[in-house]
Amino acid sequence: MQDQTNLAIAALKFFSPIEYEKNCEITGHAPTPGRTEPLDGSKLLTYLEKTGALFEPRRYQVRIAELLSRLERAGLLIPFGQGNDLFLGKKYYFLKEFTTLEKKGLLWLSEALGPQFVRSQYASITVQITGETEAGDVHAGTGLAIAPNCILTCAHVIRDMTVYDTQQFGGQSYQVIDVLPHESIDVGLVKVEPTLQVLPSLAFRDPCLADQLYTLGYPRVPLARSAPLVMQSGEVTSPEVTLLHGPEVFLYSAIARPGNSGGPIISASGHVLGIVTEELTAESARLSLPFHAGIKASTINSVVGEIDESIILPIEDYE
């Protein structure tokens, strides 16, 4: 995954108009005087070889062509004509304008590099919160690190159990210093120390109808020795549903199981759309299929501000 990421960044740098003259010099291509011309994929192979970004790049022409196609479909590369090479002859420009949050990291590559990339970015900040119920049973939910000492989760996760004073995240021990569930909305915060790893370009936005998405969490897996981080894919099926009691939620088609609650719901573009909340099931319909619901980003933003004014949720405003 790291190799794909590095290669994608190198390709985008190569097709950037700002780098045109420098890249012509590297590849031995004569620049057009007074103009910036789009370069093609065949010259990218020379660039990768000359810069040492990839050893023997011509061995990987098929995969490089596939990567360029994915970057194009994601809107990161804009096609500008065809060169002489039949296989890697398409010419491109990289013209993306970054938002303030996008500039802080690489999540803007999510749509091009896919779910494996999304998982690699979010795995370190998606944690399992463990505790014990009144009956003495071990219980668990999922949380998302949103600040150096703060984990976002569902209120019912930290209400339904006594959270253990010591938590294990990524092989490191953390001490719980406060547990803060909201009184009426299913959002809560867990404060820990020492500081957590955070994702610099983490950004929240509200869901839109048919958004492709992924859920990440730690559902109970029968017979598993330890809880694995599980990813499910789906789409937003309804961006707004008003419940009889409580805030608006949104519905999605990805499967969520016990233990997923509090985990992030992430769009294909890398944004957090919300967190997994309790499923919606009619009590009288034993065999009915439940609706999977999420607390949306704007609701989380308001609630987090009520719980702790010092926590600023990073909302994507496209500025």
Side-chain angles (χ1 to χ4, degrees), residues 124-127 129 142-153 158 169 174-181 187-199 202 204 262 300 303-305 307-314:
S124 63
I125 64 168
T126 304
V127 301
I129 303 168
T142 304
L144 180 71
I146 58 172
N149 292 100
C150 187
I151 297 167
L152 171 69
T153 188
I158 50 182
F169 306 145
Y174 291 83
Q175 295 302 309
V176 174
I177 57 177
D178 211 350
V179 176
L180 303 167
V187 174
L189 300 176
V190 177
K191 298 293 189 70
V192 300
E193 57 182 21
T195 57
L196 296 154
Q197 180 178 351
V198 294
L199 197 57
L202 178 69
F204 287 69
I300 296 170
V303 173
V304 167
I307 298 174
D308 187 340
E309 294 180 352
S310 69
I311 304 297
I312 306 298
L313 205 68

mmCIF file of all heavy atoms in Angstrom, residues 124-127 129 142-153 158 169 174-181 187-199 202 204 262 300 303-305 307-314:
data_model
loop_
_atom_site.group_PDB
_atom_site.id
_atom_site.type_symbol
_atom_site.label_atom_id
_atom_site.label_comp_id
_atom_site.label_asym_id
_atom_site.label_seq_id
_atom_site.Cartn_x
_atom_site.Cartn_y
_atom_site.Cartn_z
ATOM 1 N N SER A 124 -5.005 3.089 12.636
ATOM 2 C CA SER A 124 -4.292 3.481 13.853
ATOM 3 C C SER A 124 -5.118 4.374 14.772
ATOM 4 O O SER A 124 -4.798 4.500 15.962
ATOM 5 C CB SER A 124 -2.983 4.195 13.490
ATOM 6 O OG SER A 124 -3.257 5.394 12.783
ATOM 7 N N ILE A 125 -6.181 4.995 14.262
ATOM 8 C CA ILE A 125 -6.977 5.887 15.112
ATOM 9 C C ILE A 125 -8.359 5.305 15.430
ATOM 10 O O ILE A 125 -9.163 5.951 16.101
ATOM 11 C CB ILE A 125 -7.127 7.292 14.490
ATOM 12 C CG1 ILE A 125 -7.908 7.252 13.175
ATOM 13 C CG2 ILE A 125 -5.779 7.949 14.287
ATOM 14 C CD1 ILE A 125 -8.332 8.631 12.681
ATOM 15 N N THR A 126 -8.633 4.090 14.938
ATOM 16 C CA THR A 126 -9.880 3.394 15.267
ATOM 17 C C THR A 126 -9.555 2.365 16.343
ATOM 18 O O THR A 126 -8.776 1.439 16.112
ATOM 19 C CB THR A 126 -10.478 2.706 14.028
ATOM 20 O OG1 THR A 126 -10.672 3.689 13.005
ATOM 21 C CG2 THR A 126 -11.819 2.063 14.352
ATOM 22 N N VAL A 127 -10.143 2.523 17.521
ATOM 23 C CA VAL A 127 -9.723 1.736 18.683
ATOM 24 C C VAL A 127 -10.896 0.964 19.285
ATOM 25 O O VAL A 127 -12.058 1.322 19.096
ATOM 26 C CB VAL A 127 -9.093 2.644 19.765
ATOM 27 C CG1 VAL A 127 -7.885 3.375 19.207
ATOM 28 C CG2 VAL A 127 -10.123 3.639 20.319
ATOM 29 N N ILE A 129 -12.787 -0.007 22.683
ATOM 30 C CA ILE A 129 -12.976 0.424 24.067
ATOM 31 C C ILE A 129 -13.591 -0.747 24.833
ATOM 32 O O ILE A 129 -14.636 -1.265 24.434
ATOM 33 C CB ILE A 129 -13.898 1.651 24.135
ATOM 34 C CG1 ILE A 129 -13.329 2.796 23.291
ATOM 35 C CG2 ILE A 129 -14.096 2.096 25.584
ATOM 36 C CD1 ILE A 129 -14.304 3.932 23.075
ATOM 37 N N THR A 142 -16.442 0.548 19.885
ATOM 38 C CA THR A 142 -15.398 1.117 19.037
ATOM 39 C C THR A 142 -15.358 2.626 19.217
ATOM 40 O O THR A 142 -16.372 3.247 19.534
ATOM 41 C CB THR A 142 -15.659 0.762 17.564
ATOM 42 O OG1 THR A 142 -15.747 -0.660 17.427
ATOM 43 C CG2 THR A 142 -14.555 1.270 16.653
ATOM 44 N N GLY A 143 -14.198 3.206 19.024
ATOM 45 C CA GLY A 143 -14.053 4.647 19.103
ATOM 46 C C GLY A 143 -13.081 5.160 18.057
ATOM 47 O O GLY A 143 -12.337 4.383 17.445
ATOM 48 N N LEU A 144 -13.086 6.473 17.871
ATOM 49 C CA LEU A 144 -12.223 7.129 16.884
ATOM 50 C C LEU A 144 -11.465 8.253 17.574
ATOM 51 O O LEU A 144 -12.074 9.141 18.183
ATOM 52 C CB LEU A 144 -13.063 7.693 15.739
ATOM 53 C CG LEU A 144 -12.302 8.412 14.614
ATOM 54 C CD1 LEU A 144 -11.523 7.404 13.768
ATOM 55 C CD2 LEU A 144 -13.255 9.203 13.732
ATOM 56 N N ALA A 145 -10.136 8.229 17.488
ATOM 57 C CA ALA A 145 -9.321 9.294 18.074
ATOM 58 C C ALA A 145 -9.497 10.574 17.258
ATOM 59 O O ALA A 145 -9.160 10.614 16.078
ATOM 60 C CB ALA A 145 -7.855 8.881 18.103
ATOM 61 N N ILE A 146 -10.031 11.613 17.895
ATOM 62 C CA ILE A 146 -10.275 12.883 17.192
ATOM 63 C C ILE A 146 -9.381 14.008 17.704
ATOM 64 O O ILE A 146 -9.354 15.092 17.114
ATOM 65 C CB ILE A 146 -11.752 13.305 17.288
ATOM 66 C CG1 ILE A 146 -12.186 13.436 18.749
ATOM 67 C CG2 ILE A 146 -12.636 12.323 16.528
ATOM 68 C CD1 ILE A 146 -13.576 14.044 18.920
ATOM 69 N N ALA A 147 -8.673 13.755 18.796
ATOM 70 C CA ALA A 147 -7.752 14.734 19.369
ATOM 71 C C ALA A 147 -6.702 13.956 20.154
ATOM 72 O O ALA A 147 -6.909 12.779 20.476
ATOM 73 C CB ALA A 147 -8.498 15.719 20.266
ATOM 74 N N PRO A 148 -5.570 14.581 20.502
ATOM 75 C CA PRO A 148 -4.489 13.846 21.152
ATOM 76 C C PRO A 148 -4.880 13.115 22.437
ATOM 77 O O PRO A 148 -4.251 12.116 22.792
ATOM 78 C CB PRO A 148 -3.452 14.945 21.427
ATOM 79 C CG PRO A 148 -3.670 15.936 20.336
ATOM 80 C CD PRO A 148 -5.141 15.948 20.114
ATOM 81 N N ASN A 149 -5.913 13.584 23.135
ATOM 82 C CA ASN A 149 -6.330 12.915 24.369
ATOM 83 C C ASN A 149 -7.797 12.545 24.368
ATOM 84 O O ASN A 149 -8.390 12.314 25.430
ATOM 85 C CB ASN A 149 -6.039 13.818 25.584
ATOM 86 C CG ASN A 149 -4.555 13.998 25.833
ATOM 87 O OD1 ASN A 149 -3.992 15.017 25.445
ATOM 88 N ND2 ASN A 149 -3.913 13.017 26.446
ATOM 89 N N CYS A 150 -8.422 12.479 23.181
ATOM 90 C CA CYS A 150 -9.874 12.323 23.141
ATOM 91 C C CYS A 150 -10.316 11.315 22.082
ATOM 92 O O CYS A 150 -9.886 11.376 20.930
ATOM 93 C CB CYS A 150 -10.528 13.677 22.861
ATOM 94 S SG CYS A 150 -12.316 13.653 22.976
ATOM 95 N N ILE A 151 -11.202 10.397 22.508
ATOM 96 C CA ILE A 151 -11.778 9.390 21.620
ATOM 97 C C ILE A 151 -13.275 9.637 21.508
ATOM 98 O O ILE A 151 -13.975 9.793 22.515
ATOM 99 C CB ILE A 151 -11.533 7.972 22.172
ATOM 100 C CG1 ILE A 151 -10.035 7.683 22.231
ATOM 101 C CG2 ILE A 151 -12.245 6.919 21.323
ATOM 102 C CD1 ILE A 151 -9.685 6.450 23.032
ATOM 103 N N LEU A 152 -13.765 9.680 20.286
ATOM 104 C CA LEU A 152 -15.197 9.823 20.008
ATOM 105 C C LEU A 152 -15.823 8.440 19.952
ATOM 106 O O LEU A 152 -15.285 7.522 19.323
ATOM 107 C CB LEU A 152 -15.388 10.541 18.670
ATOM 108 C CG LEU A 152 -16.807 10.591 18.094
ATOM 109 C CD1 LEU A 152 -17.701 11.496 18.935
ATOM 110 C CD2 LEU A 152 -16.764 11.070 16.637
ATOM 111 N N THR A 153 -16.984 8.271 20.594
ATOM 112 C CA THR A 153 -17.704 7.004 20.545
ATOM 113 C C THR A 153 -19.191 7.275 20.757
ATOM 114 O O THR A 153 -19.617 8.435 20.774
ATOM 115 C CB THR A 153 -17.154 5.997 21.587
ATOM 116 O OG1 THR A 153 -17.753 4.717 21.379
ATOM 117 C CG2 THR A 153 -17.412 6.469 22.996
ATOM 118 N N ILE A 158 -20.401 3.666 26.394
ATOM 119 C CA ILE A 158 -19.762 3.935 27.693
ATOM 120 C C ILE A 158 -20.777 3.993 28.838
ATOM 121 O O ILE A 158 -20.383 4.044 30.002
ATOM 122 C CB ILE A 158 -18.917 5.233 27.632
ATOM 123 C CG1 ILE A 158 -19.722 6.403 27.047
ATOM 124 C CG2 ILE A 158 -17.681 4.985 26.790
ATOM 125 C CD1 ILE A 158 -18.937 7.690 26.911
ATOM 126 N N PHE A 169 -4.468 0.207 23.133
ATOM 127 C CA PHE A 169 -4.656 0.652 21.750
ATOM 128 C C PHE A 169 -3.339 0.474 21.000
ATOM 129 O O PHE A 169 -2.331 1.079 21.378
ATOM 130 C CB PHE A 169 -5.063 2.126 21.677
ATOM 131 C CG PHE A 169 -6.276 2.488 22.498
ATOM 132 C CD1 PHE A 169 -6.362 3.725 23.115
ATOM 133 C CD2 PHE A 169 -7.334 1.602 22.636
ATOM 134 C CE1 PHE A 169 -7.472 4.077 23.848
ATOM 135 C CE2 PHE A 169 -8.462 1.936 23.378
ATOM 136 C CZ PHE A 169 -8.524 3.184 23.997
ATOM 137 N N TYR A 174 -3.089 2.890 27.777
ATOM 138 C CA TYR A 174 -3.576 4.246 28.013
ATOM 139 C C TYR A 174 -4.445 4.245 29.270
ATOM 140 O O TYR A 174 -5.208 3.309 29.512
ATOM 141 C CB TYR A 174 -4.393 4.744 26.818
ATOM 142 C CG TYR A 174 -3.572 4.992 25.581
ATOM 143 C CD1 TYR A 174 -3.250 3.940 24.723
ATOM 144 C CD2 TYR A 174 -3.108 6.260 25.270
ATOM 145 C CE1 TYR A 174 -2.486 4.159 23.587
ATOM 146 C CE2 TYR A 174 -2.345 6.486 24.132
ATOM 147 C CZ TYR A 174 -2.037 5.436 23.303
ATOM 148 O OH TYR A 174 -1.271 5.660 22.181
ATOM 149 N N GLN A 175 -4.349 5.290 30.058
ATOM 150 C CA GLN A 175 -5.166 5.453 31.246
ATOM 151 C C GLN A 175 -6.382 6.317 30.928
ATOM 152 O O GLN A 175 -6.244 7.392 30.331
ATOM 153 C CB GLN A 175 -4.349 6.103 32.373
ATOM 154 C CG GLN A 175 -3.202 5.247 32.877
ATOM 155 C CD GLN A 175 -3.663 3.901 33.396
ATOM 156 O OE1 GLN A 175 -4.573 3.821 34.221
ATOM 157 N NE2 GLN A 175 -3.027 2.827 32.925
ATOM 158 N N VAL A 176 -7.560 5.838 31.299
ATOM 159 C CA VAL A 176 -8.788 6.601 31.095
ATOM 160 C C VAL A 176 -8.899 7.631 32.213
ATOM 161 O O VAL A 176 -8.876 7.287 33.403
ATOM 162 C CB VAL A 176 -10.018 5.672 31.097
ATOM 163 C CG1 VAL A 176 -11.312 6.479 31.033
ATOM 164 C CG2 VAL A 176 -9.938 4.697 29.926
ATOM 165 N N ILE A 177 -9.013 8.903 31.832
ATOM 166 C CA ILE A 177 -9.093 9.970 32.840
ATOM 167 C C ILE A 177 -10.494 10.557 32.948
ATOM 168 O O ILE A 177 -10.812 11.223 33.926
ATOM 169 C CB ILE A 177 -8.056 11.088 32.552
ATOM 170 C CG1 ILE A 177 -8.238 11.664 31.145
ATOM 171 C CG2 ILE A 177 -6.641 10.558 32.729
ATOM 172 C CD1 ILE A 177 -7.285 12.811 30.826
ATOM 173 N N ASP A 178 -11.354 10.300 31.954
ATOM 174 C CA ASP A 178 -12.735 10.760 32.045
ATOM 175 C C ASP A 178 -13.587 10.059 30.989
ATOM 176 O O ASP A 178 -13.100 9.725 29.899
ATOM 177 C CB ASP A 178 -12.824 12.279 31.832
ATOM 178 C CG ASP A 178 -13.975 12.914 32.602
ATOM 179 O OD1 ASP A 178 -14.808 12.163 33.148
ATOM 180 O OD2 ASP A 178 -14.031 14.163 32.673
ATOM 181 N N VAL A 179 -14.864 9.830 31.341
ATOM 182 C CA VAL A 179 -15.837 9.235 30.429
ATOM 183 C C VAL A 179 -17.040 10.172 30.387
ATOM 184 O O VAL A 179 -17.657 10.436 31.421
ATOM 185 C CB VAL A 179 -16.259 7.827 30.917
ATOM 186 C CG1 VAL A 179 -17.347 7.261 30.015
ATOM 187 C CG2 VAL A 179 -15.057 6.886 30.932
ATOM 188 N N LEU A 180 -17.381 10.677 29.200
ATOM 189 C CA LEU A 180 -18.353 11.761 29.088
ATOM 190 C C LEU A 180 -19.453 11.440 28.073
ATOM 191 O O LEU A 180 -19.394 11.853 26.916
ATOM 192 C CB LEU A 180 -17.640 13.059 28.670
ATOM 193 C CG LEU A 180 -16.497 13.539 29.575
ATOM 194 C CD1 LEU A 180 -15.697 14.636 28.882
ATOM 195 C CD2 LEU A 180 -17.055 14.031 30.900
ATOM 196 N N PRO A 181 -20.495 10.720 28.462
ATOM 197 C CA PRO A 181 -21.620 10.491 27.540
ATOM 198 C C PRO A 181 -22.554 11.685 27.520
ATOM 199 O O PRO A 181 -22.764 12.346 28.547
ATOM 200 C CB PRO A 181 -22.313 9.263 28.158
ATOM 201 C CG PRO A 181 -22.022 9.372 29.622
ATOM 202 C CD PRO A 181 -20.670 10.017 29.740
ATOM 203 N N VAL A 187 -23.864 10.127 21.617
ATOM 204 C CA VAL A 187 -22.491 10.555 21.344
ATOM 205 C C VAL A 187 -21.784 10.709 22.681
ATOM 206 O O VAL A 187 -22.357 11.226 23.648
ATOM 207 C CB VAL A 187 -22.454 11.894 20.577
ATOM 208 C CG1 VAL A 187 -21.017 12.404 20.423
ATOM 209 C CG2 VAL A 187 -23.096 11.747 19.201
ATOM 210 N N GLY A 188 -20.550 10.255 22.743
ATOM 211 C CA GLY A 188 -19.780 10.386 23.970
ATOM 212 C C GLY A 188 -18.297 10.538 23.693
ATOM 213 O O GLY A 188 -17.831 10.291 22.574
ATOM 214 N N LEU A 189 -17.559 10.947 24.714
ATOM 215 C CA LEU A 189 -16.117 11.126 24.617
ATOM 216 C C LEU A 189 -15.431 10.352 25.725
ATOM 217 O O LEU A 189 -15.947 10.256 26.846
ATOM 218 C CB LEU A 189 -15.736 12.608 24.728
ATOM 219 C CG LEU A 189 -16.316 13.570 23.688
ATOM 220 C CD1 LEU A 189 -15.897 15.004 24.021
ATOM 221 C CD2 LEU A 189 -15.885 13.201 22.281
ATOM 222 N N VAL A 190 -14.274 9.806 25.409
ATOM 223 C CA VAL A 190 -13.422 9.154 26.401
ATOM 224 C C VAL A 190 -12.086 9.881 26.385
ATOM 225 O O VAL A 190 -11.430 9.959 25.343
ATOM 226 C CB VAL A 190 -13.227 7.655 26.092
ATOM 227 C CG1 VAL A 190 -12.287 7.023 27.106
ATOM 228 C CG2 VAL A 190 -14.557 6.925 26.069
ATOM 229 N N LYS A 191 -11.702 10.427 27.530
ATOM 230 C CA LYS A 191 -10.426 11.135 27.637
ATOM 231 C C LYS A 191 -9.366 10.178 28.162
ATOM 232 O O LYS A 191 -9.610 9.437 29.135
ATOM 233 C CB LYS A 191 -10.555 12.325 28.591
ATOM 234 C CG LYS A 191 -11.545 13.396 28.154
ATOM 235 C CD LYS A 191 -11.052 14.095 26.905
ATOM 236 C CE LYS A 191 -11.900 15.317 26.563
ATOM 237 N NZ LYS A 191 -11.717 16.421 27.518
ATOM 238 N N VAL A 192 -8.198 10.171 27.542
ATOM 239 C CA VAL A 192 -7.120 9.252 27.927
ATOM 240 C C VAL A 192 -5.787 9.976 27.958
ATOM 241 O O VAL A 192 -5.636 11.078 27.444
ATOM 242 C CB VAL A 192 -7.038 8.052 26.949
ATOM 243 C CG1 VAL A 192 -8.313 7.257 26.924
ATOM 244 C CG2 VAL A 192 -6.658 8.523 25.541
ATOM 245 N N GLU A 193 -4.830 9.323 28.584
ATOM 246 C CA GLU A 193 -3.433 9.764 28.527
ATOM 247 C C GLU A 193 -2.535 8.533 28.530
ATOM 248 O O GLU A 193 -2.943 7.494 29.045
ATOM 249 C CB GLU A 193 -3.097 10.693 29.705
ATOM 250 C CG GLU A 193 -3.342 10.102 31.069
ATOM 251 C CD GLU A 193 -3.038 11.093 32.185
ATOM 252 O OE1 GLU A 193 -3.027 12.314 31.929
ATOM 253 O OE2 GLU A 193 -2.820 10.632 33.305
ATOM 254 N N PRO A 194 -1.332 8.569 27.921
ATOM 255 C CA PRO A 194 -0.713 9.705 27.242
ATOM 256 C C PRO A 194 -1.415 10.046 25.926
ATOM 257 O O PRO A 194 -2.495 9.522 25.653
ATOM 258 C CB PRO A 194 0.713 9.209 26.988
ATOM 259 C CG PRO A 194 0.566 7.717 26.868
ATOM 260 C CD PRO A 194 -0.518 7.351 27.851
ATOM 261 N N THR A 195 -0.794 10.881 25.111
ATOM 262 C CA THR A 195 -1.440 11.359 23.898
ATOM 263 C C THR A 195 -1.573 10.250 22.870
ATOM 264 O O THR A 195 -0.739 9.350 22.758
ATOM 265 C CB THR A 195 -0.653 12.523 23.271
ATOM 266 O OG1 THR A 195 0.679 12.102 23.007
ATOM 267 C CG2 THR A 195 -0.633 13.722 24.198
ATOM 268 N N LEU A 196 -2.660 10.338 22.110
ATOM 269 C CA LEU A 196 -2.961 9.393 21.042
ATOM 270 C C LEU A 196 -2.381 9.870 19.718
ATOM 271 O O LEU A 196 -2.149 11.065 19.515
ATOM 272 C CB LEU A 196 -4.481 9.272 20.877
ATOM 273 C CG LEU A 196 -5.283 8.709 22.039
ATOM 274 C CD1 LEU A 196 -6.707 9.229 21.986
ATOM 275 C CD2 LEU A 196 -5.272 7.190 21.979
ATOM 276 N N GLN A 197 -2.197 8.927 18.817
ATOM 277 C CA GLN A 197 -1.869 9.284 17.439
ATOM 278 C C GLN A 197 -3.129 9.824 16.779
ATOM 279 O O GLN A 197 -4.215 9.268 16.935
ATOM 280 C CB GLN A 197 -1.369 8.064 16.672
ATOM 281 C CG GLN A 197 -0.997 8.358 15.226
ATOM 282 C CD GLN A 197 -0.463 7.115 14.516
ATOM 283 O OE1 GLN A 197 -0.216 6.091 15.132
ATOM 284 N NE2 GLN A 197 -0.272 7.215 13.218
ATOM 285 N N VAL A 198 -3.015 10.939 16.056
ATOM 286 C CA VAL A 198 -4.162 11.506 15.350
ATOM 287 C C VAL A 198 -3.844 11.592 13.863
ATOM 288 O O VAL A 198 -2.687 11.542 13.452
ATOM 289 C CB VAL A 198 -4.542 12.905 15.890
ATOM 290 C CG1 VAL A 198 -5.030 12.810 17.322
ATOM 291 C CG2 VAL A 198 -3.364 13.868 15.792
ATOM 292 N N LEU A 199 -4.884 11.710 13.056
ATOM 293 C CA LEU A 199 -4.744 11.799 11.608
ATOM 294 C C LEU A 199 -4.826 13.280 11.225
ATOM 295 O O LEU A 199 -5.883 13.897 11.390
ATOM 296 C CB LEU A 199 -5.858 11.000 10.939
ATOM 297 C CG LEU A 199 -5.719 10.607 9.468
ATOM 298 C CD1 LEU A 199 -4.442 9.810 9.242
ATOM 299 C CD2 LEU A 199 -6.930 9.808 9.029
ATOM 300 N N LEU A 202 -7.752 14.439 9.030
ATOM 301 C CA LEU A 202 -9.074 13.942 9.390
ATOM 302 C C LEU A 202 -10.120 15.027 9.146
ATOM 303 O O LEU A 202 -9.949 16.173 9.556
ATOM 304 C CB LEU A 202 -9.091 13.535 10.858
ATOM 305 C CG LEU A 202 -10.421 13.022 11.423
ATOM 306 C CD1 LEU A 202 -10.753 11.663 10.820
ATOM 307 C CD2 LEU A 202 -10.347 12.935 12.945
ATOM 308 N N PHE A 204 -14.589 15.631 8.758
ATOM 309 C CA PHE A 204 -15.969 15.158 8.821
ATOM 310 C C PHE A 204 -16.821 15.930 7.818
ATOM 311 O O PHE A 204 -16.591 17.114 7.568
ATOM 312 C CB PHE A 204 -16.555 15.386 10.219
ATOM 313 C CG PHE A 204 -16.041 14.465 11.286
ATOM 314 C CD1 PHE A 204 -14.725 14.541 11.735
ATOM 315 C CD2 PHE A 204 -16.882 13.528 11.869
ATOM 316 C CE1 PHE A 204 -14.258 13.696 12.737
ATOM 317 C CE2 PHE A 204 -16.434 12.679 12.867
ATOM 318 C CZ PHE A 204 -15.116 12.770 13.302
ATOM 319 N N GLY A 262 -20.081 3.182 17.748
ATOM 320 C CA GLY A 262 -19.081 4.204 18.007
ATOM 321 C C GLY A 262 -18.002 4.282 16.952
ATOM 322 O O GLY A 262 -17.221 5.238 16.919
ATOM 323 N N ILE A 300 -22.834 15.262 15.456
ATOM 324 C CA ILE A 300 -21.660 14.996 16.300
ATOM 325 C C ILE A 300 -20.949 16.302 16.628
ATOM 326 O O ILE A 300 -20.546 16.543 17.777
ATOM 327 C CB ILE A 300 -20.702 14.022 15.599
ATOM 328 C CG1 ILE A 300 -21.366 12.658 15.407
ATOM 329 C CG2 ILE A 300 -19.406 13.865 16.392
ATOM 330 C CD1 ILE A 300 -20.586 11.709 14.524
ATOM 331 N N VAL A 303 -22.859 18.166 19.326
ATOM 332 C CA VAL A 303 -22.847 17.473 20.610
ATOM 333 C C VAL A 303 -21.468 17.524 21.259
ATOM 334 O O VAL A 303 -21.344 17.746 22.472
ATOM 335 C CB VAL A 303 -23.320 16.015 20.436
ATOM 336 C CG1 VAL A 303 -23.151 15.227 21.732
ATOM 337 C CG2 VAL A 303 -24.770 15.984 19.987
ATOM 338 N N VAL A 304 -20.417 17.323 20.473
ATOM 339 C CA VAL A 304 -19.057 17.382 21.014
ATOM 340 C C VAL A 304 -18.797 18.752 21.624
ATOM 341 O O VAL A 304 -18.189 18.868 22.699
ATOM 342 C CB VAL A 304 -18.019 17.048 19.923
ATOM 343 C CG1 VAL A 304 -16.606 17.422 20.374
ATOM 344 C CG2 VAL A 304 -18.063 15.565 19.578
ATOM 345 N N GLY A 305 -19.287 19.810 20.963
ATOM 346 C CA GLY A 305 -19.136 21.152 21.512
ATOM 347 C C GLY A 305 -19.853 21.333 22.835
ATOM 348 O O GLY A 305 -19.390 22.075 23.713
ATOM 349 N N ILE A 307 -20.393 18.828 25.023
ATOM 350 C CA ILE A 307 -19.703 18.009 26.027
ATOM 351 C C ILE A 307 -18.395 18.660 26.462
ATOM 352 O O ILE A 307 -18.078 18.726 27.647
ATOM 353 C CB ILE A 307 -19.428 16.596 25.474
ATOM 354 C CG1 ILE A 307 -20.725 15.874 25.133
ATOM 355 C CG2 ILE A 307 -18.627 15.769 26.483
ATOM 356 C CD1 ILE A 307 -20.523 14.534 24.446
ATOM 357 N N ASP A 308 -17.625 19.136 25.493
ATOM 358 C CA ASP A 308 -16.311 19.719 25.786
ATOM 359 C C ASP A 308 -16.003 20.801 24.761
ATOM 360 O O ASP A 308 -15.701 20.504 23.600
ATOM 361 C CB ASP A 308 -15.234 18.627 25.760
ATOM 362 C CG ASP A 308 -13.874 19.117 26.230
ATOM 363 O OD1 ASP A 308 -13.631 20.344 26.222
ATOM 364 O OD2 ASP A 308 -13.047 18.276 26.621
ATOM 365 N N GLU A 309 -16.069 22.048 25.181
ATOM 366 C CA GLU A 309 -15.860 23.171 24.267
ATOM 367 C C GLU A 309 -14.446 23.219 23.701
ATOM 368 O O GLU A 309 -14.202 23.860 22.675
ATOM 369 C CB GLU A 309 -16.165 24.489 24.980
ATOM 370 C CG GLU A 309 -17.626 24.670 25.363
ATOM 371 C CD GLU A 309 -17.879 25.989 26.058
ATOM 372 O OE1 GLU A 309 -16.875 26.687 26.374
ATOM 373 O OE2 GLU A 309 -19.054 26.327 26.292
ATOM 374 N N SER A 310 -13.508 22.555 24.366
ATOM 375 C CA SER A 310 -12.113 22.612 23.914
ATOM 376 C C SER A 310 -11.849 21.705 22.713
ATOM 377 O O SER A 310 -10.819 21.848 22.044
ATOM 378 C CB SER A 310 -11.164 22.227 25.055
ATOM 379 O OG SER A 310 -11.292 20.840 25.382
ATOM 380 N N ILE A 311 -12.758 20.767 22.430
ATOM 381 C CA ILE A 311 -12.571 19.843 21.300
ATOM 382 C C ILE A 311 -13.221 20.441 20.058
ATOM 383 O O ILE A 311 -14.429 20.678 20.013
ATOM 384 C CB ILE A 311 -13.186 18.463 21.589
ATOM 385 C CG1 ILE A 311 -12.601 17.870 22.869
ATOM 386 C CG2 ILE A 311 -12.977 17.523 20.409
ATOM 387 C CD1 ILE A 311 -11.109 17.609 22.815
ATOM 388 N N ILE A 312 -12.432 20.701 19.058
ATOM 389 C CA ILE A 312 -12.908 21.257 17.790
ATOM 390 C C ILE A 312 -12.917 20.137 16.750
ATOM 391 O O ILE A 312 -11.855 19.619 16.369
ATOM 392 C CB ILE A 312 -12.025 22.421 17.296
ATOM 393 C CG1 ILE A 312 -11.883 23.487 18.392
ATOM 394 C CG2 ILE A 312 -12.613 23.012 16.022
ATOM 395 C CD1 ILE A 312 -13.193 24.126 18.800
ATOM 396 N N LEU A 313 -14.105 19.750 16.302
ATOM 397 C CA LEU A 313 -14.205 18.696 15.301
ATOM 398 C C LEU A 313 -13.823 19.257 13.924
ATOM 399 O O LEU A 313 -14.329 20.314 13.526
ATOM 400 C CB LEU A 313 -15.635 18.147 15.263
ATOM 401 C CG LEU A 313 -15.816 16.717 14.745
ATOM 402 C CD1 LEU A 313 -15.199 15.726 15.726
ATOM 403 C CD2 LEU A 313 -17.291 16.407 14.551
ATOM 404 N N PRO A 314 -12.934 18.593 13.187
ATOM 405 C CA PRO A 314 -12.530 19.112 11.869
ATOM 406 C C PRO A 314 -13.611 18.860 10.813
ATOM 407 O O PRO A 314 -13.745 17.751 10.306
ATOM 408 C CB PRO A 314 -11.248 18.340 11.557
ATOM 409 C CG PRO A 314 -11.411 17.049 12.311
ATOM 410 C CD PRO A 314 -12.193 17.365 13.548
#
